[in-house]
Amino acid sequence: MPATPASRAAADAAAPTDVVAPAEAVEVEADPAREVVIHDVPTVRVHHPSDLLGTVLSALGIALVLVLATYAHNTTTGVAEDVQGFATLLKRILFVPVTLLEGFVIVAVPLAVITELAIRRLGRQLLEGMVASLAALVLNAVVYWAITTLGSEELVVGMSIRSDNEWVVTLPGYVALLVGLLTVVGPRGRRRTVKWSWNLIWVAVGVLLITAGVSLPGLAVSFLIGRVTGLGVRYLSGVQSERAYGASLVAGVRRAGFEPVRLIRVADATTEAESEVGADELDGDSAARALTRSTDHRVYELTTDDGDELDLVVVDGDRQVVGMLTRLWRSLRLRGIEGRSVVSLRQAAERTALLAYAARAAGVRTPKLLSIAEADDSMLLVQERPGHAVPLSDLTSEELTDEVLTELWAQLQLAHDAGIAHRSLTSDVLLVETVVGRPVVWLTSWEQGDVASSELARRMDVTQLVALLALRVGATRALESAANVVPAEHVAAIGPLLQTITLPRLTRDEMRADKKVLAELRSALVARLPEADVEPQQLVRFGARTVITIVVPIIAIVFVITSINVDEITSALAAGDWRWTVVAFALGLVTLVGAALAFVAFSPVKLPLWRATLVQTAATFVGLAAPAGIGPAALNLRMLTKRGVSTTLAAATVALVQVSQFVVTLGLLLVLTIASGNKESALPVSPVVLLVLGIVAALVASALLVPKVRQWVLAKTMPTLRQTWPRLIEVLGQPWRLALAVGGNLLMTLGFIFAFDASLAAFGQEASLIQVALVYLAGNTAGALIPTPGGMGTIELALAGALTTTTGINAGIATSVAVLFRVATYWLRIPLGWVAMRVLQKTGEL
């Protein structure tokens, strides 16, 4: 649907609002015949994010070099020996002794740099250089002490050279000192002394390395220490701003083809910070202020000698690192978001221009980009003003008429029809004005957009706009306005994307005041389009759960490898009997029958025991991709719904099965504890353990006295209780069902306990039944608490740790027992689970 045309003549009729200049306004006499007045708050010093990033990367580089020197000693030594193979030849060529060259560099470089800084009267930079040099020297000495005192033998050798048949650690402190000094002074292209100083350092370091005067890892560590201190001091102190201000800004505007008369800075976060120290607060119309918020760039109201009122957007180079890292992070974390190689300032400006031109060509009403120019470390973009529009955030819900909503969607649809996605739709990028009694909508700030965008990116745009409008006019009306312009299939496709992760930060902040908006949108979408899918789509490539899934198995593997003692395990195997492994596997299969019995007992429809057992077997295969306990619940729910059971009743049945398993397990543990008494099977509980348990119980009881804690506990438990209670009452009316469920759960739990006991016997180890039960229950609980697929890693660690603590069995043997138990009761059942899954799929049960 085309957008409503706007009258530019009417839009430009009114004059811009006058702006009050700050107390320290800068007046630049640009031409003898004309004065250019600039109202601005220049930033004298800036903290470059690139310096902070460089500091972090250099620190990581030091750690990497130390690791390589320790564990890849042969590689680093080989590289050093290859380089030092030229030592004899070099000594014949050099007519200056190496020590003399080294001394010359140590004296000449600081003297030349300090002299230039003193002549130029750069006292602050001179002081920063001295601080960075001293810090580098001290840090280098600290690292040297740590390596020689605390370092392992491999690390010491890796950082050393051979001298008089002894290993001598070499960390050239003067390299760290000089690198720290030159890093603070600035790039080599800015001052001649810096350029020649870097060249001298590289020559001296190369000669020293080739003549075996220093180790390659030691040289790298000292160099990186200098970078850490230099970049760190630069970031903390800030550097002289290279942004375009004053005369440089005026010159840039003239290069863009305009003769400025007045430049007025629009208030933003920087000017507000400056106003706290005495500068008057700047102003600007609401559209200009919205532009500063949406782009995070400097914005000026530009008045030319022709009387034109324009917007000047200034993109500063020192902020490009932040934008680049933000885009990279989002592209790595979110699925369907294209990674972009925009790094330099010029690339960022060119991309902004490309999006602006493409949007205008598609018919989208967006401010026309008139010209681009460069000034110092800034890019200047001169563009038309969007009439007398105001941002959506300044409009009341009454002002958002159906006409306005239709225009909003029409402008977005024009962009999507041309394959353009905005990707950052907020209340600041949507501007509304009234021209000849009709609403006119502007779509601005295309910096984050994409040309030739993906379908997912355009779906995200629709999701962002409908969520934004729902905050102001309600979910139902927002969806209705979208359906009037956007094709129905595109509206239906936003259901899986109604997640906070798809929304810009400003919209997420606004949504904190009304957290039910997304849920209301899902309900309204289903009410309007019953066939729409609202199940959230997996958009995040990795989150906390993914990190845990990767890290925990790695820790488990490291624990297993480091705790294994081959001789002890071999002796234990010789004393054991391998046939117990077969018994453990058979008992693991028995647990599937027990789980099936409980499922059949609670099922509201008649289920064949064989089919139910196949479902539990298939769950062992699904467990490869789902956390422990989730696979059986999902397949049980699927089987019930396939047999015509309503989703609500099926969910209640599955929840009741899980609750019954938990209750029976606790009851069994209590019975075993009472039956064991205080004889030989009693648990070796120390007073410390009892004290810890008492403290934990007291903390839990105290927490429950807090109303908010009680409300949280009730919020977590009451839904499950309400869901399962009616089904439980029905089962209690049929005692045989309850007995069958209890029997099935007992069979499942005892099967695992006896299987673990059989695994102990396979290694010739013994433990009491209560000890075995406790160890198994601890491992199973850990697998459920930490969501790794099938409990991989967590169960093995918990079983091995609990077995060692409870029975005193050697850690290596305990780990081997845990691994054997998991192989017999988990891994060997997976092929059977795959076969069961195929059978159930063919018969239509799943």
Side-chain angles (χ1 to χ4, degrees):
M1 178 179 295
T4 303
S7 171
R8 285 298 306 139
D12 294 335
T17 306
D18 289 337
V19 179
V20 179
E24 300 180 4
V26 181
E27 292 193 2
V28 181
E29 188 173 317
D31 186 85
R34 178 183 293 110
E35 287 186 352
V36 180
V37 179
I38 304 175
H39 300 291
D40 199 356
V41 181
T43 301
V44 180
R45 301 187 70 84
V46 295
H47 301 276
H48 279 279
S50 58
D51 290 338
L52 178 60
L53 179 62
T55 304
V56 174
L57 292 178
S58 298
L60 293 176
I62 293 174
L64 178 61
V65 171
L66 294 177
V67 170
L68 290 177
T70 304
Y71 297 103
H73 174 65
N74 293 335
T75 301
T76 55
T77 303
V79 173
E81 290 176 351
D82 291 340
V83 175
Q84 293 163 3
F86 298 99
T88 304
L89 177 61
L90 186 66
K91 287 178 180 178
R92 295 175 183 175
I93 298 175
L94 286 176
F95 58 90
V96 178
V98 174
T99 54
L100 183 59
L101 176 63
E102 187 177 348
F104 174 75
V105 172
I106 295 174
V107 174
V109 169
L111 184 61
V113 173
I114 291 173
T115 300
E116 182 177 6
L117 294 177
I119 292 174
R120 292 177 179 269
R121 297 182 180 180
L122 300 174
R124 177 166 179 164
Q125 203 166 11
L126 176 60
L127 179 61
E128 291 171 352
M130 296 177 64
V131 170
S133 302
L134 180 61
L137 203 58
V138 171
L139 182 58
N140 195 81
V142 170
V143 173
Y144 177 85
W145 173 84
I147 291 174
T148 55
T149 306
L150 307 175
S152 63
E153 183 179 351
E154 293 81 2
L155 177 60
V156 171
V157 173
M159 302 294 293
S160 303
I161 59 173
R162 195 75 173 175
S163 178
D164 297 331
N165 295 324
E166 292 184 357
W167 291 107
V168 179
V169 177
T170 55
L171 257 72
Y174 75 90
V175 172
L177 182 148
L178 297 179
V179 171
L181 172 65
L182 296 179
T183 299
V184 167
V185 171
R188 44 187 297 143
R190 182 178 300 174
R191 296 184 179 87
R192 189 178 298 274
T193 56
V194 176
K195 177 180 178 180
W196 285 106
S197 296
W198 276 114
N199 293 340
L200 279 175
I201 288 178
W202 288 120
V203 170
V205 164
V207 171
L208 193 64
L209 181 62
I210 292 174
T211 56
V214 67
S215 66
L216 179 60
L219 178 62
V221 168
S222 293
F223 181 90
L224 291 172
I225 286 174
R227 293 293 290 175
V228 166
T229 57
L231 292 171
V233 169
R234 263 174 50 175
Y235 181 76
L236 293 175
S237 177
V239 297
Q240 193 72 25
S241 173
E242 297 178 1
R243 301 174 179 178
Y245 288 106
S248 176
L249 187 63
V250 172
V253 174
R254 287 174 174 161
R255 281 194 295 273
F258 298 91
E259 184 61 45
V261 174
R262 188 173 61 172
L263 284 169
I264 302 178
R265 176 79 171 271
V266 177
D268 56 25
T270 302
T271 60
E272 290 173 2
E274 293 291 337
S275 67
E276 295 177 1
V277 294
D280 293 338
E281 185 177 356
L282 298 172
D283 203 353
D285 63 28
S286 57
R289 290 195 298 270
L291 183 60
T292 63
R293 292 193 298 267
S294 61
T295 61
D296 203 23
H297 299 317
R298 284 188 286 147
V299 177
Y300 294 82
E301 292 183 339
L302 167 64
T303 304
T304 68
D305 60 348
D306 295 332
D308 294 331
E309 300 288 343
L310 306 173
D311 282 335
L312 174 64
V313 180
V314 182
V315 184
D316 297 314
D318 56 81
R319 296 201 53 82
Q320 286 308 301
V321 174
V322 176
M324 181 264 293
L325 292 177
T326 301
R327 288 190 296 269
L328 178 62
W329 172 250
R330 284 184 62 84
S331 65
L332 288 176
R333 189 160 186 256
L334 294 181
R335 302 178 186 273
I337 301 298
E338 300 85 353
R340 291 178 285 169
S341 59
V342 175
V343 177
S344 69
L345 175 63
R346 180 174 291 274
Q347 285 177 320
E350 290 173 349
R351 183 178 186 85
T352 301
L354 170 64
L355 266 298
Y357 291 144
R360 290 277 299 188
V364 180
R365 190 175 293 105
T366 190
K368 183 180 180 180
L369 181 62
L370 301 175
S371 184
I372 304 177
E374 186 175 11
D376 291 342
D377 192 31
S378 301
M379 293 294 294
L380 279 55
L381 288 78
V382 182
Q383 63 186 36
E384 292 180 342
R385 286 192 187 170
H388 303 290
V390 296
L392 196 67
S393 55
D394 290 354
L395 298 180
T396 63
S397 57
E398 291 77 15
E399 293 175 303
L400 290 175
T401 63
D402 292 341
E403 232 182 333
V404 172
L405 299 181
T406 300
E407 268 295 300
L408 289 170
W409 287 108
Q411 292 298 316
L412 182 61
Q413 191 60 36
L414 282 174
H416 286 182
D417 289 343
I420 305 171
H422 191 282
R423 289 181 46 173
S424 185
L425 291 171
T426 67
S427 56
D428 284 332
V429 305
L430 296 164
L431 309 179
V432 181
E433 67 173 333
T434 302
V435 178
V436 196
R438 300 184 61 185
V440 173
V441 171
W442 296 78
L443 194 51
T444 65
S445 304
W446 292 89
E447 287 80 4
Q448 300 295 325
D450 279 325
V451 294
S453 60
S454 66
E455 181 185 353
L456 178 59
R458 296 193 294 273
R459 286 168 57 198
M460 284 187 177
D461 275 357
V462 178
T463 305
Q464 291 174 5
L465 184 52
V466 77
L468 181 63
L469 294 178
L471 286 168
R472 287 160 174 79
V473 300
T476 302
R477 192 174 167 208
L479 276 174
E480 288 177 354
S481 66
N484 292 334
V485 179
V486 180
E489 60 271 18
H490 293 176
V491 177
I494 70 171
L497 302 183
L498 289 172
Q499 309 173 46
T500 55
I501 191 67
T502 64
L503 306 178
R505 177 174 297 178
L506 178 60
T507 306
R508 293 200 300 267
D509 293 342
E510 294 176 356
M511 196 164 285
R512 288 173 185 167
D514 191 356
K515 299 180 179 179
K516 298 180 180 179
V517 170
L518 293 180
E520 292 172 353
L521 276 172
R522 294 189 192 99
S523 301
L525 182 60
V526 173
R528 184 177 185 87
L529 300 170
E531 71 281 2
D533 180 17
V534 294
E535 186 68 23
Q537 180 179 343
Q538 181 65 30
L539 296 174
V540 180
R541 296 181 190 272
F542 58 88
R545 176 172 294 185
T546 306
V547 173
I548 292 174
T549 301
I550 296 173
V551 171
V552 171
I554 293 175
I555 295 175
I557 292 172
V558 172
F559 174 80
V560 169
I561 292 176
T562 55
S563 62
I564 285 179
N565 186 310
V566 178
D567 294 335
E568 292 178 351
I569 295 174
T570 303
S571 302
L573 285 173
D577 189 345
W578 65 269
R579 288 173 292 187
W580 284 109
T581 304
V582 179
V583 174
F585 175 69
L587 288 170
L589 296 181
V590 170
T591 62
L592 300 175
V593 179
L597 287 172
F599 182 38
V600 169
F602 288 121
S603 173
V605 295
K606 186 176 181 180
L607 294 178
L609 180 60
W610 169 245
R611 295 289 186 186
T613 305
L614 280 179
V615 170
Q616 309 311 311
T617 307
T620 62
F621 175 70
V622 177
L624 279 173
I630 301 299
L635 290 187
N636 288 345
L637 182 65
R638 178 70 173 170
M639 185 179 188
L640 290 176
T641 54
K642 274 286 190 177
R643 289 180 170 262
V645 180
S646 65
T647 304
T648 304
L649 183 57
T653 301
V654 172
L656 187 57
V657 170
Q658 292 181 311
V659 170
S660 67
Q661 290 173 355
F662 176 74
V663 171
V664 169
T665 300
L666 287 183
L668 180 62
L669 180 60
L670 179 62
V671 170
L672 290 174
T673 304
I674 296 174
S676 63
N678 56 0
K679 300 178 183 178
E680 70 278 2
S681 61
L683 283 174
V685 180
S686 64
V688 177
V689 174
L690 293 176
L691 178 62
V692 171
L693 291 176
I695 293 174
V696 171
L699 290 175
V700 172
S702 302
L704 291 176
L705 296 177
V706 180
K708 290 187 177 180
V709 176
R710 288 201 307 271
Q711 292 171 4
W712 181 83
V713 172
L714 290 175
K716 294 296 182 181
T717 57
M718 288 305 294
T720 302
L721 182 60
R722 293 193 189 99
Q723 188 180 37
T724 58
W725 183 254
R727 185 66 189 143
L728 178 60
I729 294 298
E730 184 179 350
V731 171
L732 290 175
Q734 299 173 296
W736 69 270
R737 284 183 177 271
L738 185 61
L740 184 62
V742 172
N745 287 325
L746 282 174
L747 182 61
M748 182 181 66
T749 305
L750 288 174
F752 279 120
I753 292 174
F754 288 130
F756 192 71
D757 195 32
S759 301
L760 278 169
F763 280 86
Q765 306 297 313
E766 293 183 358
S768 65
L769 186 59
I770 183 62
Q771 289 174 332
V772 173
L774 179 65
V775 169
Y776 162 71
L777 294 173
N780 194 54
T781 303
L785 291 178
I786 303 179
T788 59
M792 285 186 291
T794 56
I795 291 181
E796 287 82 357
L797 281 175
L799 289 175
L803 188 59
T804 302
T805 304
T806 304
T807 64
I809 294 176
N810 175 271
I813 297 177
T815 303
S816 301
V817 171
V819 171
L820 176 62
F821 170 73
R822 289 285 286 164
V823 169
T825 61
Y826 177 72
W827 292 104
L828 290 180
R829 300 193 307 181
I830 290 175
L832 299 178
W834 178 80
V835 174
M837 177 70 76
R838 299 286 293 179
V839 171
L840 291 170
Q841 287 175 340
K842 286 183 178 180
T843 58
E845 293 286 355
L846 294 179

